[in-house]
Amino acid sequence: GALYRLRSALERVRMRKEAASDLLERLRQPALSPRRDDLRERAELAEARAAALEQALAEREGLPPAARALAEEGESLVLGLIEAEPGKERATVAALRHRAAAILVDSPERGLALLRRARERGLGSAVVLIGRDPKEIVASVPVVPLDQLLASSVPAVTEEGFGYDPDQGELWLVGETAEALQLEMRAQARRLHAQADELASRAEGSPSEPALTDSRIRSLLAALVGELERAERAAERARAPLVAQVEGESTRASELASHLRALAAEEAETRRLASQAGEQLAAVEVELARLEAEAAEARRRLAEAGADPAPGTREEVEQKLARLLRRRQALGEVNPLAKEEYAREKARLEELRSQRADLEQSLQELERLRRDLTETVEHRFAATFARAQESFAQVAGTLFPGGEGRLRPSQPSDGDGEPGVEVELRPAGKRVTRLSLLSGGEKALGAISFLFALFLARPCPFYLLDEVEAALDDTNIGRFVDLLRQFSRRAQFIVVTHQKRTMEAADVLYGVTMGADGVSQVVSRRLPQEASTAA
């Protein structure tokens, strides 16, 4: 990388020195120097500088050896497909990360073949990008200011070359890498080509002007040429040890690659021999385990039999065992269908287990549904009871002037029954609150209060009341009528009654009467409502 940067700097110094020397030579001439020729020379100089940069780009110095070698053989280098915007070269390399020096292929098989070729040639590490557009990779990573980098929720980079991936918890920095320098040199080459085209176009239409002959400019140019020559000599002095070091490292790298290939071959042979030895060892261990199992089984059977070892030699024991086996075979099978019966019962057991699991799951779901239903019922009952309790107190205050009423939940005394609702009424001037101690008319008013409390808690458009005020006297009927009128704006009431005062308060009357001919007929009448006045 240092040699690559030094060569680029040396080339730029040489081109600038040549340009300064040519300009100084023209200034020293007494004749007029055409401006058009000056522009052409500057255009040619820009083209020459661009060609030098392109030559340096073609050498791909500083890139990994595998990427350089494969690119020279015609493979597509990801870095060669990227055109970075001016000033965003390091951001582009930071977005690509390890993929900047990758080789682009269209299939995994071709990528694996390239990696194998790099390994066989000892080229070192290599990266292959399969079927992806590097431009899309760069476009998917946003470029943010440095002070906003750590606040990004997605992978992002900065123009200075910093990168941050919050998902992986990684931070990185792209410094003076060969990839970034390649992009910067490519951008510089494009600018030089554009400058050369502009100068050439200006030279076509530029008139001739007298060249500058000012002595001050000549002295400055001479000083500049001298400084550039000293810089060139300094660069040559610094370049020599770097070239020697690179050549020495290249030779050492070649030697190490050869040694590494030899070691790889030895490693492969060693692994093959180790694999064979492992297979043989595994076979021996399996055979040893089988013999130990047979010996253990023989000792167990001997212990269960409770007998002493058979006398005689091994051959005599084996002959006796063969005779006993033949005798056992002569006995035949005790139950030939035992295996089939076992399989059938096992299958039935598995089916019963599956059914049991399904039943247990169903019971769990039913229990969950029961809990949900109980919670829903309790919640809705509590909400409805709260509204009915408030409405009952309001209606009872209307039907029992000066009195009060309330609803309260009741629990069964034995603890086994269902909870209920207890109605308490206290007419004006009485201490009685239980319904069983009230008169018939007061009980009727209490029932009407409870019905209207339910109506208000759960409102409906129509209500049907059948003889609800039959047990009331005229005074309480008047209160009942006032209650109907109070709530008639919210709903319509259909009242079946024989009370005259209730009929007088109705808007429409429907009834059955007998005509002069003795035939019953249905009649209806809409009653006019007079505005009530205060006494």
Side-chain angles (χ1 to χ4, degrees), residues 93-114:
V93 177
L96 291 173
R97 301 180 68 179
H98 63 282
R99 296 181 288 266
I103 301 297
L104 184 63
V105 298
D106 55 356
S107 64
E109 292 78 10
R110 177 161 178 75
L112 184 59
L114 290 178

Side-chain angles (χ1 to χ4, degrees), residues 144-361:
V144 300
L146 182 58
D147 56 352
Q148 300 178 7
L149 179 63
L150 299 182
S152 177
S153 59
V154 298
V157 296
T158 66
E159 294 184 357
E160 296 85 355
F162 291 92
Y164 175 52
D165 188 348
D167 298 332
Q168 302 295 330
E170 296 180 358
L171 278 167
W172 63 91
L173 170 64
V174 175
E176 297 292 336
T177 61
E179 293 84 355
L181 292 175
Q182 285 269 331
L183 292 179
E184 292 176 358
M185 291 177 62
R186 191 177 301 161
Q188 180 67 16
R190 289 198 302 269
R191 288 193 293 269
L192 288 174
H193 280 300
Q195 182 180 0
D197 295 339
E198 181 183 0
L199 292 173
S201 61
R202 289 172 57 189
E204 294 297 329
S206 176
S208 298
E209 297 178 358
L212 295 176
T213 57
D214 188 80
S215 60
R216 176 61 177 168
I217 296 177
R218 287 197 299 270
S219 62
L220 290 176
L221 285 175
L224 176 62
V225 170
E227 290 295 335
L228 291 174
E229 288 179 352
R230 286 191 292 273
E232 181 182 4
R233 290 193 297 271
E236 287 290 347
R237 289 194 300 271
R239 179 172 175 268
L242 286 176
V243 171
Q245 181 181 357
V246 169
E247 292 177 354
E249 293 295 336
S250 300
T251 304
R252 177 173 174 77
S254 300
E255 295 175 356
L256 290 177
S258 302
H259 184 57
L260 182 61
R261 286 193 292 270
L263 290 178
E266 294 179 3
E267 180 187 6
E269 180 65 19
T270 304
R271 288 184 176 180
R272 186 184 64 80
L273 295 177
S275 177
Q276 293 179 355
E279 293 177 357
Q280 296 176 358
L281 178 60
V284 171
E285 291 178 350
V286 169
E287 182 66 19
L288 179 61
R290 186 184 65 81
L291 293 176
E292 290 179 352
E294 291 181 356
E297 179 64 18
R299 288 192 295 269
R300 184 187 63 80
R301 293 172 60 185
L302 182 62
E304 291 179 353
D308 297 331
T313 61
R314 179 181 180 87
E315 290 76 9
E316 293 176 352
V317 172
E318 289 180 350
Q319 293 176 1
K320 184 178 180 180
L321 178 61
R323 291 195 300 270
L324 293 175
L325 290 175
R326 288 195 296 269
R327 289 180 60 185
R328 189 189 67 176
Q329 293 175 357
L331 294 175
E333 296 182 358
V334 177
N335 185 4
L337 301 179
K339 185 176 181 181
E340 290 78 4
E341 292 177 357
Y342 172 76
R344 185 167 55 254
E345 294 298 329
K346 183 178 180 182
R348 183 171 178 272
L349 177 61
E350 293 296 330
E351 182 180 0
L352 292 176
R353 287 177 177 174
S354 176
Q355 294 177 359
R356 177 181 176 183
D358 293 340
L359 290 176
E360 291 177 350
Q361 185 178 0

